[in-house]
Amino acid sequence: LSLSLSLTHTHTIYLYTFLFHCRQSASVTMIRKNQHGTKGNKVTLSTNSFNLSSKAKKLNIYQYDLCIRCPDDPRLVDGAGVPSKFICDEVFKEFEFEPHIAYDGKRNVYSKKRNEEEKTITKKIGRKTYTATVSGPNATLNVRSVINSIKGDQDPNELTSITTALSVVIPNCLSRNEDYVAIKQGFFQKNQQDLFNDPRRPSMNNSQVLRLWSGIKTRVTPTEGDGLTLRVTKVFQAMYPNGKLLDFIWKIIRREKRELDDRDIVPINDMIKHLKVQTTHVGERTHTLDGLSDRSARDHIITERNISVEEYFKSEYNITLQYPNLLCVKVGKNVYPMELCTIKDSQPFFGKLPGPIQGKLILKAREDPEKKIMSGRALRERLGTLCGEWLVTHYGIELGREPIVVEGRVLDPPIIPDSKKPVNDGRWENKKVDCSKPISFKLQILSLARDFSNGKFEALRQTLSRKANDLGIFFDPRNVSFRMCTLGDIGAQIKSCKYSFVIMESKGEEYGSIKNHETFMNRTQCITLKVAEKVVNGDLKTTENILYKYNAKIGGINWKVDLSRITGFSEVSKQPTLVIGADVTHFTRSGNRPSLAAVVCSYDRDISKYLTRVSAHYPEDGRNSIELIPDMDKIVSEMLGRKELHNFEKTKQRNVIYYRDGVSQGQFENTVMKELELIKKAFLDKGCKDTRFSVIVCTKRHDQRFMRKDRVKYDNMKPGTVVDSSIMAPNLLNFYLCSQQAIQGTSVPCHYYILHDDLKLNVDSWQAFSFALCHAYGRVTRSVSYPAPAYYAHLACESARERFLAGYQDVQWDDTAAPDNQLPTEDEIQQTIVPGNFDAFYM
């Protein structure tokens, strides 16, 4: 076929641009077909998933749109925005729909019946009036076509719409049940027993700051072998206690006081910000707290009346305050005495849990595989009792009674040449490490902990020296000094020495402040007092882990994983291969703080050493975060310009393997594949044309669980257990891999998606390679839960997060409307979260 066209110069440019983009998009097409591996020993696994089935000949769900407008709210004037969940729920109740109609709490309403008649209501909530309209249907979802089996050519977008609809419809009876409260995606029975309560120590139960509830979470997932399935998970949620706000304040500071000290302000604000309270002096009203005010009821003067808050409540409401010297609480521009506030019932706590409470939650929430199976079946029975009949009656859907059983395989562990014995259950014993050149330099141990004295320092130095000698790590005890210091003078001390061990009371706010003094030439390693005392007392395993971290920071390699013996990678390993890892972290409940991205890139043949780059990005207006790394091309280009990668640029054939952490399926196209395009652009700009790219997403943010079935009981999966059939996501190349030995509770596998593969390797090779990289994490002699590059990127994100919080702790982050001049720019943040030189290694 020949085509003759008469084109102007402009048309020619457009045509070339069009062809370029076509070629680019074709080169980054996602893999849409699953594969099943064959390597490894077979094992039977039980899951927390149950079959969904239907005998109905026709099963459609109709999707409608709920539009809420409010002339007094700029976000809702044109109906494009979505108000708070509380407003949405209150408006939806006003419609008085039939019981089968389900609502997702935002804009989508689902029904089994088709009705094209619009419904409009008006409701006044507080001082604002809202008008809501339900219109549609916008979509007809054919559930019958996929519920029992899913075809290979099923439209992924349609499948997502169906599973989203069913995930709202199935627990709908719980959302309508007055005995249950919906929190995030879970449903919790009200007035349940506090799981933090210890029946053996009843006198301590009244001192608990928060309560702990357990609930049920359900999620409909499409699978390639079982059609639509329902995952049933037990979830836990920290809750505020009911009762007076003042009693809660006493529990936070652990004593009753007439006045608050400066040290009380931060812990109280951390706990009460966004808390909903009720007051009754002018009828029953609900308020959301912004924190503590800066003055007490006696000192806070109401300008319009020229009287104090204390005098105001006495004159207007005849209320005599018992604690007039306590600070008031802020609600917008108003303040209220905290003794007049009552905490609203059934209220979840979404803030960062204090360390002791976090530890208690982990202990209470952990369940071994045997208990996990029992609780899963109990949750299924409760769900069947509450929703089973309703689901069959209204939608003709039945829920399977027994958990789905699948077949897995246990892969052989990789070979670590430096190990004394073969890897067993994810563990090995290391020989001498590959240390950096033994250049003599000064080290120091700085202590912020008052209880760490000179005597303990000597024991710490000697223990580190002896173990370093056993491992072959260069550590000269004669060059190690000790100094007690404060947070105020620690910066000068860090800059006076090449390497500093810093002992802290605990890993709190001090960590970020310490790390902000670190540069590439002045490295720091933080150790908590508890860990330091373990070393002093002769804990050799803890000592070993500290030294592995130290050796990596000074340029050594603790061990190498033999990747050349992995099937399919023997040829790949002969060519220069870079492994890139990336992760992004976000700040919750704030649209004014940036998302922080971290990218690491290997630069040695053994994939053991990495360059690191961290960047900050503000989200777009109206959003709280940004998952895409928009400057990925700039980051990769800077890394390629480093001297460590000069040889990589000169070779003809190159391989790049990109591991991306923490991205959901809905973000694959618009996030990961766009990042791949940016990575490709960086290589093309450097003249690296003959480069092959492969992209793997790895995530642990899922609720799929597997329990190994033995003859007598259920146990955890062994490291290397892989599942790639039956319950896998259809139309994607994906698998679950458990690479770690569970320390407590039930092990959580990592879910891998192979989105793009120029290397053309089979799934067996990718499973073995990913499993091997889980042994390349240089801090402990045991395999970790996901590949080292992604793990290092995660650590870099967390370090940057702490640096950021410490560097900008004086900025007033107002979630509603912060002035632009209060917010640091991305360039300013960059100077704070990146220590000196960007190839500093975060560990």
Side-chain angles (χ1 to χ4, degrees):
L1 176 66
S2 61
L3 181 64
S4 176
L5 292 174
S6 175
L7 299 174
T8 65
H9 176 69
T10 304
H11 289 153
T12 304
I13 292 175
Y14 286 155
L15 179 60
Y16 282 139
T17 304
F18 171 75
L19 293 175
F20 171 77
H21 283 295
C22 286
R23 193 171 71 182
Q24 284 289 96
S25 60
S27 64
V28 293
T29 302
M30 278 175 51
I31 299 173
R32 287 291 185 181
K33 186 177 181 180
N34 204 5
Q35 298 177 18
H36 302 147
T38 59
K39 303 291 184 181
N41 299 318
K42 294 182 179 180
V43 61
T44 301
L45 304 168
S46 186
T47 71
N48 62 329
S49 298
F50 296 83
N51 284 115
L52 292 175
S53 61
S54 176
K55 297 179 181 178
K57 294 182 179 179
K58 183 179 180 181
L59 177 54
N60 290 335
I61 293 179
Y62 300 96
Q63 178 185 358
Y64 298 83
D65 178 66
L66 173 61
C67 177
I68 300 177
R69 292 180 172 86
C70 178
D72 300 324
D73 190 333
R75 299 172 302 167
L76 305 176
V77 171
D78 58 357
V82 178
S84 68
K85 188 177 185 304
F86 171 77
I87 299 296
C88 289
D89 290 341
E90 290 299 308
V91 168
F92 181 74
K93 291 176 186 176
E94 197 72 15
F95 280 99
E96 298 181 353
F97 282 123
E98 296 178 59
H100 71 272
I101 292 182
Y103 176 49
D104 71 349
K106 295 178 181 178
R107 293 206 63 141
N108 297 310
V109 177
Y110 300 99
S111 172
K112 67 176 183 179
K113 297 179 181 179
R114 184 180 182 90
N115 187 347
E116 298 184 3
E117 180 183 354
E118 285 191 0
K119 291 185 178 182
T120 301
I121 60 96
T122 299
K123 184 176 178 65
K124 187 173 182 179
I125 303 175
R127 299 176 181 177
K128 297 180 180 179
T129 300
Y130 297 87
T131 301
T133 302
V134 174
S135 60
N138 294 338
T140 301
L141 307 175
N142 184 1
V143 180
R144 184 68 185 86
S145 64
V146 297
I147 191 166
N148 295 326
S149 64
I150 297 174
K151 298 177 181 178
D153 58 350
Q154 181 71 42
D155 181 4
N157 294 327
E158 181 184 9
L159 193 57
T160 299
S161 298
I162 291 173
T163 55
T164 300
L166 285 176
S167 293
V168 174
V169 166
I170 289 178
N172 182 53
C173 56
L174 291 178
S175 63
R176 289 176 174 269
N177 192 323
E178 294 183 355
D179 293 332
Y180 282 79
V181 58
I183 301 174
K184 291 185 176 180
Q185 296 176 318
F187 293 89
F188 298 80
Q189 191 169 5
K190 296 178 181 178
N191 302 318
Q192 61 176 275
Q193 181 182 357
D194 180 9
L195 297 180
F196 278 148
N197 283 348
D198 188 346
R200 296 169 299 179
R201 304 171 68 187
S203 61
M204 298 293 292
N205 294 336
N206 291 332
S207 64
Q208 299 289 351
V209 178
L210 298 172
R211 296 179 295 166
L212 181 64
W213 283 5
S214 69
I216 181 172
K217 175 186 173 183
T218 62
R219 184 185 176 200
V220 176
T221 58
T223 65
E224 65 172 18
D226 291 286
L228 297 183
T229 64
L230 184 71
R231 287 184 195 163
V232 181
T233 311
K234 188 176 185 179
V235 290
F236 296 86
Q237 177 63 50
M239 305 291 294
Y240 284 104
N242 297 335
K244 296 290 186 180
L245 173 63
L246 200 54
D247 292 335
F248 180 54
I249 298 294
W250 297 153
K251 289 180 180 180
I252 295 173
I253 61 178
R254 298 183 180 179
R255 60 194 180 280
E256 185 174 332
K257 300 171 69 174
R258 291 282 173 177
E259 295 184 29
L260 298 178
D261 299 331
D262 290 342
R263 61 183 179 181
D264 298 327
I265 306 301
V266 172
I268 292 175
N269 275 332
D270 287 345
M271 299 296 287
I272 70 171
K273 193 171 184 181
H274 304 299
L275 172 64
K276 289 183 173 61
V277 298
Q278 293 174 326
T279 56
T280 56
H281 60 278
V282 189
E284 187 174 290
R285 293 186 177 181
T286 300
H287 313 279
T288 301
L289 301 185
D290 295 323
L292 294 174
S293 68
D294 57 355
R295 285 168 287 176
S296 67
R298 178 163 291 170
D299 296 333
H300 192 105
I301 303 299
I302 302 173
T303 307
E304 296 83 358
R305 304 283 294 270
N306 196 29
I307 59 174
S308 68
V309 171
E310 178 189 16
E311 294 168 333
Y312 172 79
F313 276 91
K314 179 63 178 177
S315 62
E316 289 291 325
Y317 307 108
N318 196 27
I319 297 175
T320 302
L321 300 180
Q322 297 182 30
Y323 302 93
N325 291 322
L326 285 178
L327 298 180
C328 296
V329 289
K330 292 189 298 185
V331 179
K333 297 180 179 179
N334 300 321
V335 297
Y336 294 91
M338 62 175 71
E339 62 187 89
L340 301 184
C341 300
T342 302
I343 298 174
K344 191 175 180 181
D345 290 350
S346 304
Q347 200 171 159
F349 175 78
F350 291 132
K352 183 177 180 180
L353 291 172
I357 298 178
Q358 178 74 26
K360 282 185 180 180
L361 190 151
I362 292 173
L363 287 174
K364 292 289 184 180
R366 68 181 183 185
E367 291 182 326
D368 61 36
E370 191 74 22
K371 289 183 179 179
K372 182 71 74 175
I373 284 288
M374 293 174 63
S375 67
R377 285 176 171 157
L379 291 173
R380 156 62 186 88
E381 290 303 315
R382 192 200 306 179
L383 190 64
T385 301
L386 294 171
C387 302
E389 184 178 347
W390 176 89
L391 200 56
V392 172
T393 302
H394 291 291
Y395 287 92
I397 297 175
E398 296 182 14
L399 177 60
R401 300 196 65 85
E402 290 296 320
I404 296 174
V405 176
V406 299
E407 184 181 88
R409 294 172 289 110
V410 182
L411 305 179
D412 292 333
I415 296 173
I416 299 178
D418 298 322
S419 176
K420 294 180 180 179
K421 296 179 181 179
V423 178
N424 183 30
D425 283 339
R427 301 180 182 182
W428 64 94
E429 189 175 352
N430 206 31
K431 297 177 184 177
K432 290 185 179 289
V433 305
D434 180 3
C435 188
S436 62
K437 295 180 181 179
I439 303 173
S440 180
F441 57 87
K442 290 184 179 181
L443 294 94
Q444 63 181 350
I445 297 176
L446 305 176
S447 179
L448 296 171
R450 296 177 182 177
D451 294 337
F452 196 83
S453 61
N454 250 315
K456 291 182 179 180
F457 155 68
E458 188 59 36
L460 178 68
R461 179 172 64 173
Q462 293 302 324
T463 305
L464 287 173
S465 177
R466 285 194 300 269
K467 192 60 182 178
N469 185 60
D470 293 341
L471 294 172
I473 295 175
F474 179 71
F475 186 93
D476 188 350
R478 296 169 298 179
N479 287 336
V480 183
S481 60
F482 174 72
R483 183 185 178 93
M484 298 290 295
C485 60
T486 65
L487 204 58
D489 63 3
I490 197 169
Q493 296 302 320
I494 289 173
K495 292 175 182 177
S496 69
C497 191
K498 183 176 177 64
Y499 200 97
S500 302
F501 293 94
V502 183
I503 299 173
M504 312 178 298
E505 291 284 355
S506 61
K507 189 176 179 181
E509 296 179 2
E510 296 175 341
Y511 177 80
S513 300
I514 295 166
K515 287 296 180 180
N516 276 337
H517 295 295
E518 182 180 40
T519 68
F520 184 61
M521 298 303 295
N522 305 104
R523 311 308 305 277
T524 63
Q525 183 173 342
C526 294
I527 305 172
T528 62
L529 177 61
K530 184 178 179 180
V531 172
E533 289 180 338
K534 283 185 178 182
V535 178
V536 170
N537 295 327
D539 188 331
L540 295 181
K541 192 62 183 177
T542 301
T543 308
E544 183 179 282
N545 291 341
I546 289 174
L547 289 167
Y548 283 144
K549 187 174 179 180
Y550 161 75
N551 185 51
K553 280 177 172 279
I554 63 174
I557 298 176
N558 293 328
W559 55 82
K560 300 174 183 178
V561 181
D562 191 348
L563 302 173
S564 64
R565 302 195 189 188
I566 298 174
T567 305
F569 272 90
S570 56
E571 291 300 319
V572 173
S573 61
K574 294 178 182 178
Q575 301 162 350
T577 301
L578 296 186
V579 179
I580 297 175
D583 191 18
V584 178
T585 188
H586 314 287
F587 293 92
T588 58
R589 303 170 74 91
S590 173
N592 288 326
R593 297 185 182 186
S595 294
L596 303 177
V599 180
V600 303
C601 176
S602 66
Y603 65 87
D604 68 327
R605 188 179 186 86
D606 301 301
I607 312 180
S608 299
K609 293 185 176 183
Y610 293 84
L611 302 175
T612 307
R613 187 72 167 96
V614 182
S615 60
H617 309 285
Y618 280 109
E620 297 175 358
D621 292 340
R623 300 186 63 183
N624 287 335
S625 61
I626 174 173
E627 185 64 37
L628 174 71
I629 305 176
D631 59 346
M632 178 64 90
D633 53 341
K634 179 183 176 183
I635 291 173
V636 174
S637 181
E638 287 178 346
M639 288 180 167
L640 289 175
R642 300 296 296 176
K643 62 181 181 180
E644 292 88 349
L645 292 176
H646 281 178
N647 291 333
F648 182 82
E649 288 188 52
K650 297 176 183 178
T651 56
K652 293 183 178 180
Q653 184 73 49
R654 312 165 195 81
N655 306 313
V656 175
I657 300 172
Y658 179 38
Y659 277 93
R660 182 62 155 89
D661 183 23
V663 181
S664 62
Q665 281 192 41
Q667 297 172 307
F668 287 171
E669 290 278 8
N670 294 327
T671 299
V672 184
M673 301 310 287
K674 283 187 177 180
E675 288 171 357
L676 175 58
E677 290 183 11
L678 294 173
I679 293 173
K680 282 193 168 188
K681 179 179 181 299
F683 277 87
L684 289 174
D685 290 345
K686 289 289 184 179
C688 306
K689 297 180 179 180
D690 297 324
T691 306
R692 299 185 296 179
F693 298 88
S694 293
V695 179
I696 303 97
V697 170
C698 51
T699 178
K700 293 190 69 180
R701 295 176 186 172
H702 61 81
D703 43 26
Q704 184 66 66
R705 300 293 181 268
F706 301 94
M707 286 66 68
R708 179 165 55 92
K709 191 173 183 181
D710 286 342
R711 294 180 181 179
V712 181
K713 64 173 185 176
Y714 289 92
D715 205 347
N716 268 313
M717 295 180 286
K718 292 184 177 181
T721 302
V722 64
V723 178
D724 59 10
S725 61
S726 185
I727 65 168
M728 304 313 302
N731 305 323
L732 286 170
L733 179 50
N734 64 121
F735 58 89
Y736 290 96
L737 172 62
C738 178
S739 53
Q740 78 283 8
Q741 181 73 43
I743 299 175
Q744 57 184 6
T746 302
S747 56
V748 181
C750 186
H751 197 177
Y752 294 82
Y753 299 86
I754 303 173
L755 302 186
H756 184 79
D757 185 19
D758 289 339
L759 298 179
K760 307 298 181 184
L761 299 175
N762 60 37
V763 71
D764 277 320
S765 298
W766 282 119
Q767 290 169 359
F769 182 71
S770 298
F771 185 38
L773 286 183
C774 294
H775 295 71
Y777 179 64
R779 292 175 69 169
V780 289
T781 53
R782 59 190 304 161
S783 55
V784 291
S785 54
Y786 53 110
Y791 210 129
Y792 289 144
H794 171 75
L795 287 179
C797 275
E798 291 305 307
S799 179
R801 182 189 184 94
E802 295 296 331
R803 294 170 192 269
F804 173 83
L805 290 174
Y808 293 102
Q809 57 186 347
D810 294 331
V811 175
Q812 298 299 312
W813 297 98
D814 185 350
D815 289 346
T816 55
D820 290 340
N821 59 9
Q822 285 190 329
L823 302 180
T825 66
E826 292 180 2
D827 289 338
E828 289 172 337
I829 295 169
Q830 203 73 12
Q831 296 301 317
T832 300
I833 61 178
V834 181
N837 199 320
F838 69 77
D839 54 355
F841 190 65
Y842 295 79
M843 290 190 68

